[in-house]
Amino acid sequence: DTGVSQDPRHKITKRGQNVTFRCDPISEHNRLYWYRQTLGQGPEFLTYFQNEAQLEKSRLLSDRFSAERPKGSFSTLEIQRTEQGDSAMYLCASSLSGATDYEQYFGPGTRLTVT
Amino acid sequence: AQRVTQPEKLLSVFKGAPVELKCNYSYSGSPELFWYVQYSRQRLQLLLRHISRESIKGFTADLNKGETSFHLKKPFAQEEDSAMYYCALRSRRQLTFGSGTQLTVLP
């Protein structure tokens, strides 16, 4: 499968623990996005990378959240001191800058449950 | 700030009937609008983009700036159209999604 991949697909953690998710974009895509989706809602933008530079961050991304894309390829999203309100599906997407930049390709998501 | 509203959470139609999924937006600039679709157990994928003005899987959507709407239409629904549909507005690389409409096409 050459699409966007995310790992793990499911994560159950206790409140207060730290979690880290990984996203591998389509190999030639230089742009990478993180979204969060809660039950009954559409995805909400969290942050965006162009290569290794984090260019935009949503106000939703509190200080407990950090995202990296160290070599401009895969990305990680870490949540520190998880809270029950962090329970959601975390989606990663990628795109290629240029004429087709408008199309974001989504991964299958990581479902986080905080107990 | 931009906002996308999809007023119907659930929509059911019979096979062969016309279908319209509503989307309204608020945005101060010139909007770039999309419809994304998620079939059961599949990932979110782009269905169509307003600029291209093309028909994908029989679906079309017209941007109406006066009514700030971007409704998705298909004249004859098929059972395989059953899915979750999201309207989205793009600004500065990020997408703002509506809350989605679950379409069920009944046999």
Side-chain angles (χ1 to χ4, degrees):
Chain A
D1 185 358
T2 56
V4 178
S5 61
Q6 293 185 245
D7 183 70
R9 295 292 305 277
H10 303 274
K11 179 71 177 179
I12 300 173
T13 191
K14 294 188 181 203
R15 189 175 52 192
Q17 297 295 304
N18 299 345
V19 294
T20 300
F21 309 141
R22 177 181 169 123
C23 170
D24 286 87
I26 293 172
S27 58
E28 64 268 25
H29 285 185
N30 59 337
R31 290 185 173 147
L32 187 147
Y33 314 79
W34 285 98
Y35 292 84
R36 181 175 69 185
Q37 185 174 21
T38 53
L39 201 61
Q41 300 300 316
E44 296 173 291
F45 172 79
L46 292 178
T47 189
Y48 148 64
F49 289 85
Q50 177 156 315
N51 300 312
E52 64 276 7
Q54 187 173 19
L55 297 185
E56 282 188 47
K57 289 168 61 172
S58 163
R59 288 172 298 170
L60 293 174
L61 213 65
S62 76
D63 291 344
R64 297 185 297 106
F65 287 69
S66 62
E68 293 182 344
R69 195 182 183 200
K71 297 181 181 178
S73 57
F74 72 92
S75 175
T76 58
L77 178 68
E78 181 184 16
I79 309 174
Q80 296 183 326
R81 305 181 303 282
T82 52
E83 301 172 356
Q84 287 190 320
D86 297 331
S87 295
M89 177 75 86
Y90 290 84
L91 294 168
C92 176
S94 69
S95 69
L96 179 64
S97 59
T100 60
D101 174 51
Y102 62 87
E103 183 163 6
Q104 295 185 18
Y105 292 80
F106 282 81
T110 295
R111 182 169 295 284
L112 173 66
T113 302
V114 182
T115 61
Chain B
Q2 58 262 30
R3 185 179 178 89
V4 177
T5 303
Q6 293 180 251
E8 303 141 327
K9 281 234 177 270
L10 303 170
L11 183 63
S12 294
V13 299
F14 285 101
K15 177 182 171 182
V19 63
E20 180 179 69
L21 289 86
K22 291 185 168 49
C23 172
N24 289 90
Y25 67 91
S26 63
Y27 183 60
S28 56
S30 185
E32 190 176 4
L33 286 154
F34 303 85
W35 278 97
Y36 275 77
V37 61
Q38 188 166 25
Y39 300 102
S40 179
R41 289 186 290 277
Q42 293 187 28
R43 57 190 68 187
L44 196 59
Q45 59 185 287
L46 178 65
L47 179 62
L48 57 78
R49 176 188 183 208
H50 90 270
I51 289 177
S52 63
R53 300 186 63 81
E54 57 188 340
S55 171
I56 304 292
K57 298 184 179 182
F59 284 98
T60 58
D62 289 321
L63 176 61
N64 185 322
K65 292 187 179 180
E67 296 183 357
T68 61
S69 68
F70 187 55
H71 303 329
L72 183 68
K73 300 177 185 179
K74 184 169 183 177
F76 307 104
Q78 303 300 314
E79 289 181 69
E80 55 266 29
D81 296 328
S82 295
M84 178 68 87
Y85 291 81
Y86 293 97
C87 182
L89 184 152
R90 181 173 179 247
S91 91
R92 301 189 315 171
R93 311 278 182 257
Q94 62 178 274
L95 291 170
T96 300
F97 287 87
S99 56
T101 297
Q102 178 69 50
L103 174 66
T104 302
V105 181
L106 303 167

